Amino acid sequence: MNATDQALLAARPDFAAIARWVTPGARVLDLGCGDGGLLRYLWEARQAPGYGVEIDDAEVVACVRNDVNVLQMNLEDGLSVFRDGSFDYVLLSETLQTIHRTEQLMREMLRVGREVIVSFPNFGHWQARLQLLLGRMPVSEALPYAWYETPNVHLCTLTDFEDLCRRLGTRIEERLVLHAGRPVSLLPNVFGSLAVYRCTWT
Amino acid sequence: MNAPQHSSGSVGVVAPQKAVFDAPLLLRSGATLPAFELAYETYGSLNEARSNAVLVCHALNASHHVAGVHADRPDEPGWWDNLVGPGKPLDTERFFVIGVNNLGGCHGSTGPMSPNPATGRRWGGDFPVVTVEDWVDAQARLADRLGIACFAAVMGGSLGAMQALHWALAYPERIRHSLVIASTPRLSAQNIAFNEVARQAITTDPDFHDGHYYDKGVVPTRGLRIARMIGHITYLSDEAMMAKFGRLLRRGVPGFDFDIDFEVESYLRHQGDKFSSYFDANTYLRITKALDYFDPAAAFGGNLSAALARAQAAFLVVSFKSDWRFAPARSREIVRALLDNRRILSYLELDAPGGHDAFLMDDPHYHGALRAYFENIER
């Protein structure tokens, strides 16, 4: 692993979990791919080719610079350019909480991908609970925005997300809960700040 | 037009060159051109492996003069001079860039103004209708002549992008990257309708004489002028036009006559006058037809994915949100078909305000992406 990868994994601890779950050579679609860092990492670590979807002009240019395939589109418009089952994995890394039509996007991801990997900040983390108890909207390393400037519109806890999965009829194959980059096994919905799920259609 | 970002040098003074081809060229229409000439320019130098050539295809009114200036016209830089040059996004220090005037053109390649070998007089209205496919075949012959077996990239905007796309289909082994900018896989009925109004303006001009106006010593200026005015409206966005002209009155108050009132009228008349003074009406007619006929999916029952299955190149597809002539949804059709074929592909749908003509402007994200894309192309 080179220095760039180490820095990347320190900044985005969910990337390592995602890379571990992606089988070598699999076709991946990374929704909300930012500058393409995860795609590039998956290509180098797993030889997994794929496409990213990103809406922001500057991020898309960064993807081109990083030599990853990027498609500039709005996730809120659905994934109609992609055929059913055309990817092995559809990834949504720390983007779920910014999506307005969450349920529609989850259905679309399950349509396009054989498996779906989703990571998001856990709103049930004790720091968030404590700040709410003290009468304020939570601000933390995982949730760095003040309420009036946050792009996050649909925050949820582990329990909430699992409820949605049940409602959609998807099966949770694996779950990894992290805090400060380390796995959390004790009371994950309280001590975990970042959750990563791997889901399939049942 | 603003000065390009990270701007550096111009390619400087360039001289057009000419290539003569004696072998006949069979056209898509069934007609044959017995022989033809292509006017072209090159910038930068071909490397030893002959692997760094980039072909830049022109759209409606442009030519082989892509970058730099001609010695006798130092104030008229090439039409994509903000993109092509040393240190520019398409860097002529790295790439050997070629611009070609297409067949049927009026800037030096064989076209309606050239002599018809069968009669000794100018072709005029008898010059055959040429297509995107014919242009690409002619460009391939020029590539043969220059010793280029495979282009690093073929690129173009609008009609130029159709050529870049067709290159990937007609000569899949001769192109590594295709840059398809502000384009469409086929014209819509509305697009064709605009072209037809432009053609009618020309062909109903009393000076048109079925295209044989050269012999009569006249030019269908009125028709060509109106054709250009119509075209120009479709190149700009409503927003860009409003920002540029608003409802400004030339004379400050309404004239209550039919002289120029609004600034936009003055602009269109100026564009029409300028264009009709240098462009040939017969060429304009043929170019609009080439646009109308382009439809690679037609031979595959309308299935664009099947049509693009032959392509091997990596693609960069770019559209602009303010372009209503070839709107982003049209580029997404190309994207979808390329995804179906699992091609290496990036797609940009940029928020630039310039309308269809945004492809000629130097929006920082647009040029930033092109720069980054070319930097990643191996030579």
Side-chain angles (χ1 to χ4, degrees):
Chain A
M1 196 184 291
N2 63 36
T4 322
D5 286 348
Q6 272 167 359
L8 183 73
L9 292 183
R12 297 294 297 268
D14 54 330
F15 282 10
I18 292 169
R20 211 161 40 241
W21 288 343
V22 168
T23 50
R27 284 170 53 78
V28 295
L29 178 65
D30 183 12
L31 304 178
C33 67
D35 68 0
L38 175 58
L39 278 167
R40 206 183 160 95
Y41 177 66
L42 288 175
W43 174 246
E44 281 161 10
R46 311 298 273 166
Q47 287 73 52
Y51 302 91
V53 174
E54 175 58 51
I55 191 169
D56 182 77
D57 283 353
E59 296 280 37
V60 169
V61 175
C63 285
V64 174
R65 194 168 298 121
N66 280 329
D67 211 5
V68 300
N69 294 325
V70 65
L71 309 170
Q72 189 169 25
M73 291 173 188
N74 185 352
L75 293 178
E76 303 285 0
D77 297 339
L79 303 175
S80 61
V81 296
F82 304 107
R83 303 269 178 201
D84 296 2
S86 50
F87 291 92
D88 297 311
Y89 298 95
V90 179
L91 317 177
L92 190 68
S93 167
E94 295 196 48
T95 301
L96 180 77
Q97 72 278 5
T98 67
I99 299 294
H100 285 83
R101 298 184 199 166
T102 313
E103 196 179 328
Q104 176 196 285
L105 182 62
M106 281 291 289
R107 284 186 199 283
E108 278 283 86
M109 289 169 68
L110 288 157
R111 174 183 69 77
V112 166
R114 206 167 46 75
E115 300 200 357
V116 161
I117 298 175
V118 177
S119 69
F120 57 88
N122 176 26
F123 205 66
H125 186 250
W126 68 268
Q127 284 179 333
R129 295 180 191 227
L130 182 63
Q131 287 182 63
L132 270 177
L133 203 63
L134 295 173
R136 294 200 178 272
M137 279 298 281
V139 177
S140 65
E141 205 176 319
L143 298 165
Y145 304 99
W147 66 273
Y148 50 83
E149 57 172 18
T150 181
N152 300 332
V153 292
H154 281 154
L155 290 159
C156 68
T157 69
L158 307 196
T159 314
D160 292 330
F161 182 76
E162 288 167 21
D163 282 349
L164 176 63
C165 288
R166 249 188 306 279
R167 191 176 136 75
L168 294 171
T170 69
R171 190 166 67 207
I172 295 167
E173 301 285 347
E174 268 180 280
R175 180 184 82 175
L176 182 68
V177 183
L178 299 165
H179 181 68
R182 292 172 191 285
V184 174
S185 46
L186 177 72
L187 294 175
N189 202 24
V190 175
F191 293 113
S193 54
L194 181 67
V196 197
Y197 285 85
R198 185 164 68 84
C199 309
T200 58
W201 272 131
T202 43
Chain B
M1 216 171 279
N2 302 323
Q5 254 214 338
H6 323 279
S7 154
S8 24
S10 156
V11 297
V13 174
V14 290
Q17 303 172 65
K18 221 162 234 192
V20 181
F21 300 89
D22 292 323
L25 183 71
L26 175 64
L27 304 174
R28 195 181 138 197
S29 66
T32 300
L33 271 183
F36 62 95
E37 292 181 3
L38 290 179
Y40 68 99
E41 287 181 10
T42 68
Y43 323 99
S45 47
L46 192 59
N47 62 11
E48 208 165 314
R50 298 177 174 270
S51 59
N52 68 334
V54 175
L55 177 64
V56 177
C57 304
H58 70 75
L60 216 157
N61 64 316
S63 70
H64 52 289
H65 184 36
V66 176
V69 293
H70 293 160
D72 55 341
R73 295 203 166 153
D75 53 345
E76 288 180 21
W79 59 273
W80 223 344
D81 192 70
N82 65 10
L83 184 83
V84 180
K88 288 182 178 171
L90 176 43
D91 189 350
T92 50
E93 305 275 356
R94 292 189 70 226
F95 293 103
F96 177 61
V97 180
I98 305 168
V100 191
N101 184 213
N102 283 324
L103 222 45
C106 53
H107 291 106
S109 291
T110 297
M113 296 199 296
S114 312
N116 178 352
T119 63
R121 291 170 33 217
R122 300 218 220 179
W123 281 95
D126 296 333
F127 193 83
V129 168
V130 282
T131 63
V132 167
E133 292 83 350
D134 301 331
W135 289 339
V136 167
D137 286 343
Q139 290 160 2
R141 290 217 193 157
L142 180 64
D144 295 340
R145 180 73 53 89
L146 298 174
I148 296 157
C150 181
F151 281 107
V154 179
M155 79 179 302
S158 188
L159 177 58
M162 293 174 177
Q163 295 158 58
L165 177 59
H166 185 69
W167 256 99
L169 307 182
Y171 300 98
E173 71 294 341
R174 297 191 70 173
I175 161 176
R176 288 192 281 129
H177 294 266
S178 173
L179 287 83
V180 177
I181 302 167
S183 196
T184 172
R186 59 181 157 259
L187 264 62
S188 67
Q190 189 195 46
N191 294 145
I192 295 170
F194 275 113
N195 281 346
E196 175 58 8
V197 177
R199 282 191 294 266
Q200 283 290 313
I202 292 169
T203 55
T204 58
D205 186 315
D207 287 335
F208 181 62
H209 299 290
D210 288 329
H212 295 290
Y213 46 87
Y214 315 120
D215 303 341
K216 311 265 180 189
V218 291
V219 177
T221 308
R222 276 163 291 184
L224 191 55
R225 186 169 173 270
I226 293 167
R228 178 59 171 174
M229 288 166 84
I230 293 160
H232 219 92
I233 297 167
T234 70
Y235 305 150
L236 301 178
S237 66
D238 190 14
E239 189 190 0
M241 257 193 177
M242 203 59 196
K244 195 164 178 179
F245 309 107
R247 293 180 50 84
L248 270 182
L249 289 164
R250 201 88 203 277
R251 292 170 286 182
V253 289
F256 298 104
D257 57 20
F258 300 99
D259 206 349
I260 292 174
D261 264 327
F262 295 95
E263 279 294 347
V264 67
E265 297 173 315
S266 161
Y267 172 77
L268 282 181
R269 290 185 194 195
H270 172 72
Q271 290 295 330
D273 289 337
K274 196 172 79 175
F275 187 70
S276 59
S277 71
Y278 76 85
F279 208 82
D280 179 58
N282 279 320
T283 290
Y284 197 90
L285 288 177
R286 279 155 186 77
I287 290 182
T288 61
K289 273 291 174 188
L291 277 160
D292 291 0
Y293 286 139
F294 184 70
D295 185 3
F300 294 83
N303 184 340
L304 189 63
S305 302
L308 301 195
R310 285 170 287 166
Q312 297 300 317
F315 282 82
L316 179 67
V317 179
V318 181
S319 73
F320 301 96
K321 283 182 182 158
S322 59
D323 183 355
W324 58 275
R325 179 185 169 91
F326 297 155
R330 315 308 309 280
S331 285
R332 283 197 294 259
E333 293 173 34
I334 300 172
V335 167
R336 184 180 181 136
L338 291 170
L339 283 171
D340 284 346
N341 287 295
R342 303 189 166 190
R343 295 272 63 87
I344 294 173
L345 161 72
S346 280
Y347 170 58
L348 275 65
E349 192 171 302
L350 294 169
D351 207 0
H356 186 58
D357 267 355
F359 86 86
L360 293 169
M361 297 170 192
D362 59 356
D363 174 82
H365 290 126
Y366 171 46
H367 270 201
L370 291 180
R371 176 181 293 276
Y373 193 83
F374 277 112
E375 278 172 1
N376 285 327
I377 292 182
E378 285 174 31
R379 291 182 297 161

